[in-house]
Amino acid sequence: MRRIGWTLFLMLCPLFLSNVVAEDGALSLPRLFQDGMVLQRGQPIPVWGKAEPGKTITVVLNKKQCQTTADSVGRWRVDLPKMKAGGPYLLEVRSEEQEARTFKDVLIGDVWLLSGQSNIDVTIERVYPQYVKEIDSYENADIRLFRVQNETDTHGPKDDIRPTQINWKPLSKQNAWLFSAVGYFLGKRMYEKTKVPQGVIVNSWGGTPIEAWISADSLQQDFPLLVERTRLYQNDEYVRTQARANMLMNQQWDKLLNEKDPGLQQDFTAFGYDDSSWNTIQQFDWGWRGVGTVWLRQHVQVDKAHAGKPARLLLGTLFDQDYTFVNGRQVGHTGYQYPPRRYDIPEGLLREGDNVITVRFINKYGMVHFIKEKPYLIAFGDDRFSLNPLPADVIRLSETWKQHDGAVMPSCPSADVSLQNLPTTLYNAVLHPLAPYALSGVVWYQGESNVGNPAPYENYLTKMIGNWRTLWKQPELPFVVVQLANYLQPSDTPQNSNNARIREAQRLVAKKLPSVELASAIDLGETVDIHPLRKKELSERIGLCFDRLVLNDKKVKLMPEVVSVTADDNLVTLTLDQPLKAGELNEFEVCGADGRFVNATATARGNQIVVSSTVSSPHRVRHAWKDNPIHLNAYAPTGLPLPPFEINVK
């Protein structure tokens, strides 16, 4: 969810300049075409690029050959015939002077595009403690991973993407460590289902709104001011100036912070530092409000059996930035609030008896705090990397810390432009260049950044899917939309939840558009973490949708869906397309003509739900219409939940 800093943007500017297809007439192809690529089975295979105008281009793959001529500006494209899964093959592209590009180890199978924001971004490294044995033991050279490098453009669609570090790498723990966990588990799941090669393209950017992923043409009719907003930033000199100003201000703020911080001058991290005069605080009953730094220290007793052993320090999740030390040695640093603090303590650092953990918080806004529901401990042994289950050999940390103020600072002024959050900028730079690379289907997991204004989201999502299908010239390109996970504090009373409104927009789009399915994460979330870790379970639900959409497996049962509603006095009967597990159900609400929702009782009986409330003439019924409907218990026998919805009774 966090915005990418403009310091990084400026560092990468030289790479931006390299993102231009060769203009000197040399034969070139987009960066998606590389050794190890996966091409889509069962569809014509587009291959395209640039060359000297008028030259004949020959493309050969698996004994199939096509020819074309580069047009007046050097563009060319061929569509190889449909092929069955297989490989590895050579893909050869040559011009009439025998200038050639040859790509090795090419597979033909299924290709999936995963896009959205940070829940697609969440890496295997982040979820590793949930699936340690599986990730450690699995690799598969028939599953290939490709990560599109982030870039923006305010001017219009680009021809190609930037160079990337993960470019059709075979799936292994090492190659997938910084790759999307959803992409990893989906590729693995679909391979196990089909036994054919899998190509997983991940194209996502944390914190970005859906408007950034839609073309200007698609937005122009209903949202012309959004397009105009982006045009305001077509002055590249202005953008560079703002970016440099933001970088310089952050550097100056950090410089003053470090100069003023007594903890750096007196070395609060030192093992022998006397902290006896510091304040004592309780970590879950402590809200340090301020801008600058604050220091915490905790003494931990380690016995002889554990002294010197390698260990892992779990500090839950902290707000916002931390530098963490053990016995005066830095063991970890995290620059923002979301990642779990999991820091390795090297062999020999822990000593018998007293040990000291020191945390330097840096805060630019909000309130420094610990997240209560996360683990806080030192783990030992071979299972110290696991959180599912927790390691057996641990020293749990105390909730009591010593605290000392550091540097008090003014707020850091920001001139951040954040082009990735502007309409059309990601469509231009990282989506448009991927077409027409043949795909089996698309996963869209996004919406958190539109929660502040959910009203237009149904329109946005409808436009985006239509926009992408037009770009690929596939009117029914399969889409799986992930319905947002449960998040934030639960409530026992009805809420006017914007999260629920986004989920409803996602449900309605999946219901009205052809070849779109909904995979709900409504019961896979976490109260305190917008990035839930159960990505394998989510990928299984996405895979079930593709079983139906792409593999045409009509036996697959997806989530239950309401097909009709009837009312009789204060009773509402919902008829579903499949039965539910019988019993009393939670998280149902009903409203009358006044629009005021009240809690209702509900009972599952076969494929019907009978809802009863104090409302004598129900007008609407809701299910799981909350930020975090934690008591949801409406499930099909398959284990899939009844997703959130709001339905008119009259």
Side-chain angles (χ1 to χ4, degrees):
M1 295 294 293
R2 189 175 178 87
R3 294 178 177 179
I4 303 298
W6 274 101
T7 301
L8 179 61
F9 177 91
L10 289 176
M11 290 170 59
L12 295 174
C13 272
L15 284 177
F16 294 177
L17 299 177
S18 70
N19 186 33
V20 179
V21 178
E23 298 293 344
D24 59 0
L27 179 65
S28 65
L29 286 84
R31 292 192 175 94
L32 270 174
F33 291 88
Q34 297 187 34
D35 292 346
M37 76 182 96
V38 180
L39 299 173
Q40 179 61 45
R41 64 170 171 157
Q43 297 181 26
I45 301 173
V47 182
W48 72 98
K50 282 194 172 183
E52 186 177 344
K55 295 299 182 182
T56 299
I57 307 299
T58 303
V59 180
V60 182
L61 172 68
N62 187 24
K63 301 179 182 179
K64 304 294 193 299
Q65 178 174 304
C66 288
Q67 282 190 337
T68 190
T69 302
D71 67 15
S72 60
V73 294
R75 297 180 186 273
W76 59 266
R77 170 180 168 174
V78 302
D79 289 316
L80 291 163
K82 299 177 184 179
M83 300 184 195
K84 295 181 179 179
Y89 302 117
L90 292 177
L91 173 65
E92 185 179 8
V93 183
R94 60 180 182 268
S95 68
E96 59 190 74
E97 284 86 10
Q98 300 304 308
E99 178 189 5
R101 295 285 306 277
T102 301
F103 302 94
K104 299 174 291 185
D105 192 24
V106 176
L107 301 179
I108 298 175
D110 292 328
V111 182
W112 312 100
L113 173 62
L114 281 65
S115 194
Q117 56 181 111
S118 54
N119 270 299
I120 289 290
D121 280 346
V122 167
T123 62
I124 282 295
E125 184 275 333
R126 180 82 70 89
V127 306
Y128 175 68
Q130 297 290 117
Y131 313 102
V132 169
K133 291 182 179 178
E134 178 174 358
I135 293 170
D136 280 347
S137 63
Y138 189 77
E139 58 182 51
N140 190 333
D142 283 341
I143 304 174
R144 308 288 173 83
L145 313 176
F146 190 99
R147 179 64 167 92
V148 177
Q149 190 69 30
N150 289 345
E151 186 180 7
T152 63
D153 197 288
T154 61
H155 297 278
K158 297 178 73 69
D159 285 336
D160 203 1
I161 56 175
R162 289 174 48 209
T164 182
Q165 295 298 312
I166 304 177
N167 45 15
W168 298 118
K169 301 290 187 183
L171 187 149
S172 66
K173 177 181 175 182
Q174 179 180 1
N175 289 338
W177 195 242
L178 298 180
F179 191 76
S180 163
V182 174
Y184 173 101
F185 286 116
L186 180 64
K188 180 174 184 286
R189 191 262 183 205
M190 297 309 291
Y191 180 85
E192 291 170 351
K193 176 77 175 183
T194 64
K195 304 303 182 185
V196 306
Q198 301 292 308
V200 183
I201 302 171
V202 169
N203 186 19
S204 54
W205 193 327
T208 55
I210 190 172
E211 308 94 283
W213 298 91
I214 306 174
S215 72
D217 288 346
S218 297
L219 290 173
Q220 184 65 48
Q221 181 176 354
D222 292 339
F223 306 102
L225 288 181
L226 292 182
V227 178
E228 294 302 318
R229 181 183 167 207
T230 300
R231 288 175 181 159
L232 289 173
Y233 292 87
Q234 289 180 346
N235 185 322
D236 294 340
E237 183 178 354
Y238 167 79
V239 171
R240 285 192 295 269
T241 301
Q242 291 290 83
R244 178 167 172 75
N246 193 60
M247 179 188 70
L248 293 174
M249 178 52 67
N250 276 280
Q251 289 177 349
Q252 182 67 8
W253 194 90
D254 290 341
K255 178 175 180 290
L256 292 176
L257 177 81
N258 293 336
E259 289 175 353
K260 293 179 60 177
D261 194 338
L264 298 182
Q265 318 312 323
Q266 301 173 38
D267 195 6
F268 287 173
T269 71
F271 171 76
Y273 180 84
D274 182 5
D275 56 24
S276 59
S277 64
W278 286 24
N279 298 326
T280 300
I281 61 102
Q282 296 297 120
Q283 72 179 45
F284 300 127
D285 187 22
W286 170 71
W288 186 84
R289 285 193 177 275
V291 176
T293 59
V294 62
W295 294 79
L296 299 183
R297 283 169 61 94
Q298 178 172 151
H299 293 260
V300 179
Q301 299 301 308
V302 175
D303 60 23
K304 183 176 181 179
H306 293 93
K309 297 289 182 63
R312 173 163 266 209
L313 173 63
L314 302 186
L315 272 181
T317 304
L318 311 177
F319 184 95
D320 183 39
Q321 181 180 175
D322 74 285
Y323 288 86
T324 296
F325 304 81
V326 173
N327 293 338
R329 180 172 172 179
Q330 183 176 318
V331 295
H333 163 60
T334 304
Y336 63 109
Q337 70 182 91
Y338 293 111
R341 272 53 170 183
R342 302 191 293 247
Y343 298 146
D344 290 323
I345 301 176
E347 185 175 0
L349 184 56
L350 292 174
R351 61 188 74 193
E352 183 178 359
D354 188 40
N355 294 261
V356 180
I357 300 170
T358 307
V359 181
R360 183 196 189 209
F361 283 91
I362 299 178
N363 192 45
K364 290 189 175 183
Y365 67 98
M367 182 175 68
V368 169
H369 59 278
F370 295 82
I371 303 299
K372 188 172 185 177
E373 290 81 352
K374 299 293 184 176
Y376 296 84
L377 52 86
I378 301 174
F380 299 87
D382 293 339
D383 65 346
R384 65 185 182 275
F385 301 103
S386 174
L387 289 177
N388 185 25
L390 280 173
D393 189 5
V394 302
I395 297 175
R396 296 193 178 273
L397 301 185
S398 170
E399 295 181 8
T400 301
W401 294 77
K402 292 284 191 175
Q403 181 253 322
H404 194 292
D405 289 350
V408 178
M409 293 286 291
S411 297
C412 182
S414 176
D416 195 4
V417 176
S418 298
L419 293 182
Q420 74 274 16
N421 295 320
L422 293 175
T424 78
T425 56
L426 299 183
Y427 173 88
N428 291 341
V430 294
L431 193 282
H432 182 273
L434 303 184
Y437 200 90
L439 304 173
S440 210
V442 177
V443 178
W444 177 251
Y445 190 171
Q446 189 277 341
E448 298 93 337
S449 288
N450 289 88
V451 164
N453 180 26
Y457 194 84
E458 182 182 348
N459 195 348
Y460 285 155
L461 184 55
T462 302
K463 285 182 178 295
M464 192 205 78
I465 292 174
N467 181 192
W468 291 20
R469 286 173 164 176
T470 298
L471 180 63
W472 261 269
K473 294 183 172 58
Q474 289 183 249
E476 294 195 7
L477 176 65
F479 268 77
V480 174
V481 175
V482 178
Q483 193 180 44
L484 294 187
N486 52 308
Y487 172 56
L488 300 174
Q489 290 302 313
S491 173
D492 292 328
T493 58
Q495 288 181 320
N496 185 21
S497 164
N498 280 1
N499 278 294
R501 295 177 70 191
I502 292 288
R503 295 182 191 119
E504 180 69 351
Q506 294 168 328
R507 183 186 75 87
L508 292 174
V509 170
K511 186 176 178 64
K512 73 182 179 182
L513 294 184
S515 299
V516 180
E517 293 289 356
L518 188 72
S520 184
I522 191 59
D523 58 337
L524 300 178
E526 300 181 32
T527 298
V528 296
D529 197 338
I530 201 169
H531 304 116
L533 300 181
R534 296 171 64 189
K535 301 305 188 193
K536 179 181 178 181
E537 292 82 346
L538 175 61
S539 297
E540 174 62 27
R541 294 180 183 181
I542 295 169
L544 286 171
C545 294
F546 283 133
D547 289 349
R548 173 79 69 83
L549 282 173
V550 176
L551 304 182
N552 297 313
D553 188 345
K554 303 305 182 184
K555 297 179 181 179
V556 170
K557 289 284 189 182
L558 300 181
M559 291 186 302
E561 182 180 349
V562 177
V563 294
S564 67
V565 185
T566 59
D568 183 11
D569 293 329
N570 69 328
L571 295 180
V572 177
T573 301
L574 305 173
T575 301
L576 310 180
D577 63 350
Q578 59 185 287
L580 296 182
K581 294 179 180 178
E584 300 298 312
L585 302 180
N586 304 322
E587 302 288 8
F588 280 84
E589 305 164 8
V590 171
C591 80
D594 61 0
R596 186 175 66 87
F597 281 89
V598 299
N599 288 336
T601 60
T603 305
R605 300 170 182 168
N607 69 331
Q608 291 188 327
I609 302 171
V610 178
V611 183
S612 174
S613 72
T614 58
V615 178
S616 60
S617 181
H619 278 234
R620 283 180 289 166
V621 60
R622 285 175 171 175
H623 172 245
W625 195 273
K626 294 174 181 174
D627 293 332
N628 187 4
I630 200 169
H631 301 298
L632 180 152
N633 65 341
Y635 285 89
T638 59
L640 294 177
L642 179 67
F645 59 76
E646 178 179 288
I647 296 177
N648 290 329
V649 176
K650 294 184 178 180

